[in-house]
Amino acid sequence: MPKRPQFTVVKTSEGWRVNVPASLAESGKRERYFHQTRDKAQQYASELREKYKQHGEAAAIIRPSLAEAATQAEKILKPWRISLVEAARMVAEIKERENASKPANEAIDAWLLACEGLRARTLDGYRQVSRKLKAAFNDTLLTSIGAEDIQNIIAPPGITGAAVLGRIRNARAFWRWAAKKGWCDADVFKAVEAPKNGRHQNEIAILTPTEAKCLLQVAEAHYPDAVASYALQLFAGIRVEELRRLEARHVTEGGIEMSADITKRGRRRHINPHPTLSAWLAIYPYSPCPNWREVDKACRRLAGWNLDSRLLEKQAAQAAAENGSEPEQLPVPTLGRWPQNALRHSHASYAVAAGAPLESLLFEFGHTQNPSVLREHYIGRASKKDAIEFFKIRPKGEEVPSIVAV
C-alpha cells in the first residue's frame, strides 16, 4: 500500500518548504512550495492533508485495471510532456465545447432566420452557400468542422472567380455569427484561403459590336421583354443589381432617374439617354423583365456564350413531351465564358472611345473615385471605329449615319 504523505514543514535557506509528491501534484510532477513564515507553511500543509483526506485516500485503493490504464496513458503522453491531469482537462474542454456547439444544419437554419429582413440579393447569396454547407456537413457539430473541410466545400484549390469570393464572404458571415453564439471557434475560418487573382484577372473584357448586336437581336426574336433591360446596360451602363430595383417610372424621355434607393452606393444620379438608347426605348419601353435571371441566361446562351440555361432546357423538354420525341440538344456554344460585367464595361469603353468626357461618365456610372479609375480601365480598350459601330446598333436591324451614332 502506498505510503501516506505527511506534508511535513522543513526550514531551508529559501524559506519554509512543503513537499508535494508527484502522485498528488496537479502537474503530475513532484512539486515544492516555499513560504516566508512557518505559520503559512503549516497552514498550507494542513490544507493539503485535508485535500488528501477528501480525494487522495481513494488512490490507495485504486483498482488494478485503472492503475494499468493510467500507466499506459502516462506512457502515451510522455513524449508530449503532458500529465494525466492536463490531458483530462484538455479532453474536458473539448467535450464542453462540443456540448455548447450545434449541428451545422440547425445552426444554419437559425442563422438564416436571424437574417430575415436583409436585402433580397444578400439573402439569396446566404441561402446558396447555406445549401452547400448543409449538404456537406448536415448534422456534424460545428466544433468538428475544420478550415480544410470548409475550404474543400466553398473554395477548393484551383477554383477562382467572383462566385468563389462571394461564397467565402457569405460563409464567413455565418461562421462569425455562430462563433458569437459560442457554437464554434471564430479563428477556424481564418485559415480558409481566398483564391489568388493574377493581374490578368483584373483586366476587364467587353463585347465586340457584333456580339452586342447579336445579343440584342436574340432578345428581340425570343424574349422581347428583355430588350429594354439589355439596352439600358449596353447604352447607359446601368449595373445589374440596380436594374433589379429600377421601375418603369424611373425611365422617361427626359432621362433615367437613379434614386438613392436604386443605386449601389446609395447616391442619386441622373443619366441623359444616348440617341441609341432612346431609339431602343422608343420601340421597347422599359418595364422590369419577369424572371430576368433565367431569361438573361437563355439569351446569352442563344447568342453563343458558354453557360447553362434551365429555361431553355425546360422549353426543350416541354416541346419534346408535346411532340412525343427526345428533347433537342441546345446549340453548341461558339463563344467562351461570359465576361463579368461585360455590358457595363462595354458601354464605358465605347463611350470613352467615342469622346465622352470622363467626368460626365464618372457621375453617370456612379463611381466615387476620381477619373483616373475610369482612365485606367477604359481608355484604349476600344477603337473609334468600333465605338461608331457600337452606337450604330438599332432595333430591328436598322442603322443610322455614323455622324448621328456618336
Side-chain angles (χ1 to χ4, degrees):
M1 180 178 294
K3 184 178 179 181
R4 182 188 181 109
Q6 298 301 313
F7 302 112
T8 55
V9 176
V10 179
K11 184 177 182 180
T12 69
S13 59
E14 299 178 15
W16 297 87
R17 186 186 69 205
V18 179
N19 292 330
V20 180
S23 60
L24 300 177
E26 291 187 359
S27 64
K29 302 175 183 178
R30 177 173 173 270
E31 296 176 354
R32 296 187 299 173
Y33 292 90
F34 295 89
H35 302 270
Q36 293 181 348
T37 66
R38 182 176 63 179
D39 290 343
K40 288 183 178 181
Q42 289 178 340
Q43 181 180 353
Y44 180 66
S46 177
E47 293 173 355
L48 290 176
R49 293 188 193 99
E50 183 63 26
K51 185 176 179 180
Y52 175 80
K53 182 179 180 181
Q54 293 177 358
H55 306 289
E57 287 183 342
I61 55 175
I62 187 171
R63 62 183 185 273
S65 61
L66 182 58
E68 183 180 355
T71 301
Q72 292 177 352
E74 190 174 40
K75 289 180 179 179
I76 295 173
L77 295 170
K78 186 175 181 179
W80 309 102
R81 296 184 179 180
I82 298 175
S83 70
L84 283 174
V85 174
E86 289 173 321
R89 285 175 177 166
M90 292 169 64
V91 172
E93 289 176 2
I94 292 173
K95 292 301 180 182
E96 287 175 0
R97 288 198 298 269
E98 288 180 354
N99 290 336
S101 187
K102 286 273 188 183
N105 51 9
E106 292 183 17
I108 290 169
D109 287 341
W111 175 58
L112 290 176
L113 189 62
C115 291
E116 290 295 335
L118 297 179
R119 287 195 316 169
R121 186 171 182 232
T122 302
L123 273 177
D124 186 57
Y126 285 176
R127 292 189 182 107
Q128 288 182 27
V129 79
S130 294
R131 285 193 290 269
K132 282 186 170 293
L133 294 175
K134 289 177 74 172
F137 303 123
N138 193 20
D139 57 356
T140 303
L141 289 176
L142 294 184
T143 49
S144 300
I145 300 173
E148 186 176 355
D149 301 321
I150 301 172
Q151 184 88 55
N152 291 333
I153 297 303
I154 63 172
I159 304 299
T160 61
V164 176
L165 295 175
R167 285 200 297 268
I168 292 176
R169 182 172 59 251
N170 295 334
R172 183 187 296 114
F174 159 67
W175 199 263
R176 286 177 175 173
W177 180 86
K180 289 181 180 179
K181 295 285 186 180
W183 298 343
C184 62
D185 184 357
D187 289 338
V188 168
F189 208 95
K190 292 180 180 180
V192 176
E193 297 183 358
K196 302 295 187 296
N197 289 326
R199 292 183 62 184
H200 66 282
Q201 292 175 306
N202 294 325
E203 295 290 336
I204 67 168
I206 65 175
L207 304 188
T208 66
T210 301
E211 291 168 347
K213 184 176 181 179
C214 178
L215 182 63
L216 286 165
Q217 288 177 340
V218 165
E220 284 187 290
H222 299 277
Y223 301 97
D225 289 346
V227 173
S229 296
Y230 282 127
L232 287 169
Q233 293 177 79
L234 280 168
F235 305 119
I238 293 178
R239 296 182 175 94
V240 175
E241 59 265 34
E242 294 174 339
L243 190 68
R244 296 192 185 105
R245 297 189 286 272
L246 194 68
E247 300 176 8
R249 61 186 176 87
H250 296 126
V251 183
T252 66
E253 292 183 0
I256 306 166
E257 183 64 24
M258 306 288 290
S259 56
D261 59 338
I262 295 175
T263 62
K264 178 181 179 181
R265 306 292 183 183
R267 297 182 179 182
R268 172 203 169 268
R269 68 181 193 270
H270 182 84
I271 301 175
N272 295 314
H274 189 280
T276 301
L277 177 59
S278 297
W280 281 93
L281 295 179
I283 298 179
Y284 299 98
Y286 174 73
S287 62
C289 176
N291 196 21
W292 163 252
R293 284 191 175 183
E294 294 303 322
V295 169
D296 177 38
K297 292 178 182 178
C299 288
R300 286 185 279 156
R301 178 58 188 271
L302 290 173
W305 295 95
N306 184 12
L307 73 164
D308 296 327
S309 170
R310 290 183 295 181
L311 184 58
L312 292 180
E313 292 172 357
K314 182 179 179 181
Q315 291 172 349
Q318 288 176 344
E322 293 173 359
N323 299 329
S325 60
E326 291 294 324
E328 293 185 8
Q329 296 294 322
L330 297 179
V332 177
T334 56
L335 303 172
R337 303 293 296 180
W338 178 260
Q340 186 179 4
N341 295 327
L343 304 185
R344 179 173 165 87
H345 291 324
S346 297
H347 168 72
S349 299
Y350 289 122
V352 169
L358 289 177
E359 288 73 13
S360 63
L361 269 181
L362 190 69
F363 174 72
E364 292 188 356
F365 255 48
H367 278 249
T368 56
Q369 300 97 332
N370 57 48
S372 64
V373 176
L374 294 180
R375 186 178 296 109
E376 176 186 351
H377 286 300
Y378 302 122
I379 286 184
R381 186 69 57 186
S383 66
K384 177 79 170 182
K385 178 182 177 182
D386 285 342
I388 292 173
E389 291 301 315
F390 178 79
F391 287 110
K392 283 170 62 177
I393 301 173
R394 287 296 192 272
K396 302 184 183 300
E398 298 177 0
E399 290 190 356
V400 294
S402 299
I403 190 171
V404 178
V406 294

